[in-house]
Amino acid sequence: MFISTTWIFKNSTLVLLMSKCVIGCQDGSPRLPLHSSIALFLLSYCKCKSLEVHLVSCDPDTSRKLRGELPEFLDLKIVQVESVPLLVRGCRLPAVLDETGTLCRAGLAVVLRHIINRTIEADPSRNDVQALLGFKKTCLKACAEVSKWTRLCEIDIPSAVEEHLRDPGGHEHHPPPRAILTLEQRLGEPVKVHNDDKIRRQKLKQLQKNATSAQERVHSDPGDGFELKAALAKLSVSAAPTPTTGESCEIRKVKTSDLPALDHLFAEGLYFTLTDVVLLPCIHQYLSSIDFHAANRLQCLPHLLGWYARVQQVPGVLRAAESCGIKLIGPGKLPPIPDETSVETSPAGQLEQEEETSTQLPFVGGPRPTITKLKESGIEAVFSDHPCPEWSLPWESLPDAIHPTEGKMSNIRTVRKRQQLNNLVAMVTQLAKPGYVVVDFCSGTGHVGIVLAHALPQCQVLLIENKEESLIRAHLRSAELGLQNIGFIQANLDYFTGPFQVGVALHACGVATDMVMDHCIQAKAAFVISPCCYGFIQNAIKFTFPRSKKFQDTLIYKEHMILCRFADQTALQLPPERRLTGKQCMGLVDLDRSWAAESHGYRVQVMTMEPETCSPKNNMLVGRSYLNPKESLKQID
């Protein structure tokens, strides 16, 4: 089992909020890591008491040293790393472990969203907490591997500030960190909100009303603006629905282009959201480390200083900050906010202008010229023979909960899904040995992982999925089967750091295939991956394409993207010739991936699942590290 018998599980969820070591301040006093400070701040803002909080520390005297930063209303415990359940130990903190000890949520954004949901479950009237999730409840929902905004808030800014805090004096004459400058640029962008036109017309009406009195124009308070009033009203716990009032004919006739722009108040525009909760402890620590008498570099951060002052006006922020020992700098103590029109172009204004450079080779359009160009360089798609094309799981004798039939899956699709599972399970069972940890990446509702946990009772199986709804469904299916060798992690791939020996993924979309393969390579683990959605492949934060040197020497990025786009044209309803071209393109894209893995000491086979009709995306990559020469594929009897 992944859980630890030294922990007593209550009905409430267990939360781990602290990194293994405390970061020191400039004056030598201890400081909580920023991710831990952010989580505690949100717990205080929400007044959430339904979670038992465990702080992982290597110093038994931590609670005394950090007494001022730990909210008194929380049920806090200091624990050693050795006593933490293995499921949590394999993840980056903060993490939340459910009462069964088998479902872990890891990573800052996932944990914070879970805290919000737990608060709302306990008190549905908390409009202020519900508003933190933003429009359609998507605030920081996109994972950091694909969303630059999530990565900036969840990873880049906390990391940059912690690096600055390690030696603030060493950065005295340097400009603000790049991540801070990027945030400054985003805060200066126009506001984009749902129903923008309606809100701007309401603002125009308010401006016209104020303009009727010259005294109001002269003595109006800048902090008493329309946007700030609307934003704070939305956070009211007892907020009532705003009555609908008709607009005057003159206002309705105003063109959208002539409506007043909305002020950018908070991190994501007009409203206070979870993003502001994440950023406040980070920006506060950064500003607190700077001597304002010699803070000329803050002159390039007018939007950030204005944001920092406005956030303090949000009800509950000052109370939560005080509970966590965060002494926010009041408006009177902040350096003067420079006039935005007088600020010279800062490095932030130049960040988005930087473009990637690539080798300028002649561009060849279309799949056939590109394939021909590769062929002239001796590169052709090669498919290995399937070692066990007839192998199948005994579906008739398996429990109902293992069958991929939940939802509205048709009989035909169910048969194809079983065939896909036959292929992946056949490969994994050859690679896995008793005691191995097998990880089902991008697990969805657990089609692969649950079958593997049932078929490999002497192995531990982990299911990793970013979508909470899918993972909860997989967790329920596992509980129905009574599986004891399975664990569940809701997290981005990067937040799983535990050891494992085999990685598997069925239809990992786009760059997810490359992310899974890279994770396996870092762990020296074997992998069985079925790629999907080749058309979604594009340069990402961690990857650029082509991946291998041989392809890079032959194709430029645009040509490789042609292969990816045409690799998606394998649907059965397409003409046979086009499907054949699509299959060639699939093979070439996966050949590039396999060569990239082989440069890290892997032996990779690209093969076709049997039967080919089980899926239009029927490629399968099977890789083994040279460090494990005994893990060779054998014929299954």
Side-chain angles (χ1 to χ4, degrees):
M1 290 290 290
F2 289 103
I3 64 175
S4 171
T5 56
T6 60
W7 282 38
I8 300 175
F9 296 97
K10 299 182 178 180
N11 292 329
S12 59
T13 304
L14 299 169
V15 185
L16 297 158
L17 294 173
M18 188 175 174
S19 297
K20 296 179 181 179
C21 298
V22 179
I23 296 176
C25 300
Q26 186 180 12
D27 59 6
S29 59
R31 183 196 304 275
L32 278 171
L34 274 174
H35 278 197
S36 300
S37 181
I38 292 167
L40 290 173
F41 177 74
L42 178 63
L43 285 168
S44 299
Y45 179 83
C46 296
K47 300 178 183 178
C48 180
K49 300 180 181 179
S50 60
L51 303 175
E52 182 181 291
V53 182
H54 287 227
L55 299 178
V56 180
S57 175
C58 52
D59 183 358
D61 204 22
T62 296
S63 58
R64 182 185 62 81
K65 294 179 180 179
L66 297 172
R67 187 172 300 156
E69 298 185 51
L70 305 179
E72 295 181 357
F73 76 92
L74 291 175
D75 183 9
L76 291 164
K77 293 181 175 62
I78 307 298
V79 299
Q80 302 298 308
V81 177
E82 295 76 17
S83 66
V84 176
L86 292 176
L87 187 62
V88 179
R89 225 183 297 175
C91 300
R92 293 181 182 175
L93 303 183
V96 178
L97 188 64
D98 81 335
E99 55 271 16
T100 69
T102 60
L103 196 160
C104 176
R105 295 171 172 88
L108 183 65
V110 167
V111 167
L112 297 184
R113 288 177 60 87
H114 181 68
I115 291 173
I116 291 173
N117 289 329
R118 285 295 295 262
T119 304
I120 297 171
E121 288 174 7
D123 185 1
S125 68
R126 292 293 301 273
N127 295 329
D128 56 333
V129 178
Q130 293 189 51
L132 294 178
L133 294 178
F135 181 61
K136 292 188 176 180
K137 301 181 180 181
T138 57
C139 184
L140 297 184
K141 188 174 184 179
C143 62
E145 290 96 341
V146 298
S147 170
K148 291 183 179 180
W149 177 242
T150 301
R151 186 175 185 85
L152 176 70
C153 300
E154 185 181 32
I155 299 174
D156 293 346
I157 288 179
S159 298
V161 172
E162 288 189 338
E163 176 64 26
H164 171 83
L165 292 176
R166 290 187 181 97
D167 184 19
H171 303 277
E172 184 175 350
H173 302 292
H174 294 175
R178 179 185 178 88
I180 299 290
L181 293 174
T182 302
L183 176 60
E184 168 68 20
Q185 182 179 1
R186 290 293 298 267
L187 290 173
E189 293 177 354
V191 174
K192 298 178 182 179
V193 296
H194 175 63
N195 219 357
D196 170 275
D197 185 272
K198 180 179 179 180
I199 298 174
R200 290 168 66 191
R201 292 186 190 279
Q202 290 175 350
K203 180 176 182 179
L204 177 61
K205 181 179 179 180
Q206 184 66 40
L207 290 174
Q208 290 179 350
K209 180 180 178 181
N210 292 344
T212 59
S213 169
Q215 183 178 5
E216 289 180 359
R217 277 203 313 273
V218 174
H219 299 289
S220 62
D221 182 1
D224 204 25
F226 169 80
E227 290 92 336
L228 189 58
K229 284 184 177 180
L232 297 183
K234 188 174 182 180
L235 295 172
S236 173
V237 175
S238 58
T242 304
T244 57
T245 56
E247 297 165 345
S248 66
C249 182
E250 289 104 3
I251 291 180
R252 288 199 303 270
K253 288 181 179 179
V254 176
K255 295 181 180 179
T256 301
S257 58
D258 295 332
L259 292 172
L262 297 174
D263 293 338
H264 199 137
L265 299 184
F266 299 107
E268 296 198 353
L270 189 59
Y271 301 114
F272 181 79
T273 65
L274 178 59
T275 306
D276 298 283
V277 172
V278 172
L279 294 174
L280 182 58
C282 302
I283 301 305
H284 168 72
Q285 296 286 12
Y286 175 71
L287 295 177
S288 299
S289 68
I290 296 175
D291 181 2
F292 289 157
H293 297 291
N296 293 330
R297 64 178 179 273
L298 291 182
Q299 296 300 306
C300 68
L301 302 175
H303 299 104
L304 190 66
L305 292 174
W307 167 85
Y308 181 77
R310 279 191 296 274
V311 168
Q312 297 184 46
Q313 299 182 51
V314 175
V317 166
L318 293 178
R319 170 191 54 77
E322 182 180 359
S323 176
C324 297
I326 300 175
K327 299 178 181 178
L328 296 174
I329 306 168
K333 297 181 180 180
L334 282 171
I337 300 176
D339 184 359
E340 296 167 10
T341 60
S342 64
V343 177
E344 297 182 2
T345 302
S346 67
Q350 305 171 5
L351 294 178
E352 296 298 329
Q353 300 176 6
E354 298 179 5
E355 298 181 356
E356 297 179 4
T357 58
S358 59
T359 306
Q360 295 301 313
L361 297 175
F363 174 67
V364 179
R368 293 191 181 279
T370 304
I371 292 173
T372 301
K373 186 176 182 180
L374 289 169
K375 190 173 182 179
E376 290 173 349
S377 299
I379 301 175
E380 295 185 68
V382 178
F383 294 92
S384 300
D385 293 334
H386 198 299
C388 43
E390 304 297 329
W391 191 88
S392 175
L393 286 158
W395 292 106
E396 293 75 14
S397 61
L398 294 179
D400 291 341
I402 289 183
H403 291 250
T405 56
E406 78 270 19
K408 298 181 180 180
M409 189 177 293
S410 64
N411 291 335
I412 295 176
R413 189 181 173 193
T414 297
V415 171
R416 289 176 179 171
K417 184 63 67 175
R418 289 177 180 175
Q419 292 170 342
Q420 296 163 22
L421 294 176
N422 287 339
N423 283 270
L424 269 69
V425 174
M427 299 297 105
V428 173
T429 52
Q430 294 190 50
L431 296 168
K433 300 177 181 178
Y436 272 18
V437 175
V438 179
V439 179
D440 178 13
F441 293 98
C442 311
S443 64
T445 57
H447 291 323
V448 178
I450 288 176
V451 172
L452 288 174
H454 184 272
L456 301 170
Q458 293 183 308
C459 293
Q460 301 286 343
V461 179
L462 276 178
L463 277 65
I464 299 180
E465 169 60 46
N466 184 258
K467 295 179 181 178
E468 184 177 29
E469 300 83 0
S470 298
L471 200 65
I472 289 176
R473 173 57 188 156
H475 190 247
L476 292 173
R477 291 176 63 194
S478 170
E480 183 180 344
L481 291 164
L483 297 173
Q484 299 294 313
N485 61 329
I486 194 169
F488 304 84
I489 298 177
Q490 182 197 349
N492 304 339
L493 280 179
D494 285 346
Y495 287 114
F496 172 66
T497 59
F500 66 102
Q501 289 72 42
V502 182
V504 58
L506 173 58
H507 287 160
C509 294
V511 295
T513 287
D514 303 277
M515 293 163 58
V516 171
M517 188 179 298
D518 182 69
H519 215 82
C520 293
I521 290 172
Q522 296 298 320
K524 299 292 190 295
F527 58 78
V528 180
I529 305 172
S530 171
C532 191
C533 302
Y534 292 78
F536 289 166
I537 293 175
Q538 60 182 339
N539 283 344
I541 296 171
K542 297 179 64 175
F543 303 107
T544 57
F545 295 87
R547 299 291 313 278
S548 68
K549 187 177 186 307
K550 291 182 180 179
F551 271 75
Q552 291 168 2
D553 292 341
T554 308
L555 300 182
I556 62 174
Y557 175 64
K558 289 183 179 180
E559 292 170 328
H560 190 271
M561 289 302 99
I562 286 178
L563 293 179
C564 295
R565 300 301 180 268
F566 278 88
D568 265 352
Q569 299 193 20
T570 55
L572 294 176
Q573 61 267 31
L574 293 175
E577 185 178 354
R578 184 179 295 186
R579 283 191 281 118
L580 180 61
T581 301
K583 179 65 174 179
Q584 280 184 286
C585 292
M586 281 175 54
L588 289 167
V589 173
D590 290 335
L591 179 64
D592 174 48
R593 287 166 159 163
S594 67
W595 282 351
E598 287 176 0
S599 68
H600 293 281
Y602 270 69
R603 183 178 294 105
V604 183
Q605 294 173 287
V606 181
M607 61 184 71
T608 300
M609 291 193 284
E610 294 288 346
E612 293 186 32
T613 55
C614 70
S615 172
K617 299 296 176 289
N618 52 27
N619 275 11
M620 186 166 56
L621 287 76
V622 181
R624 295 160 298 281
S625 172
Y626 290 158
L627 299 179
N628 299 310
K630 294 182 179 180
E631 294 182 353
S632 58
L633 289 177
K634 298 171 292 189
Q635 186 73 25
I636 294 182
D637 296 329

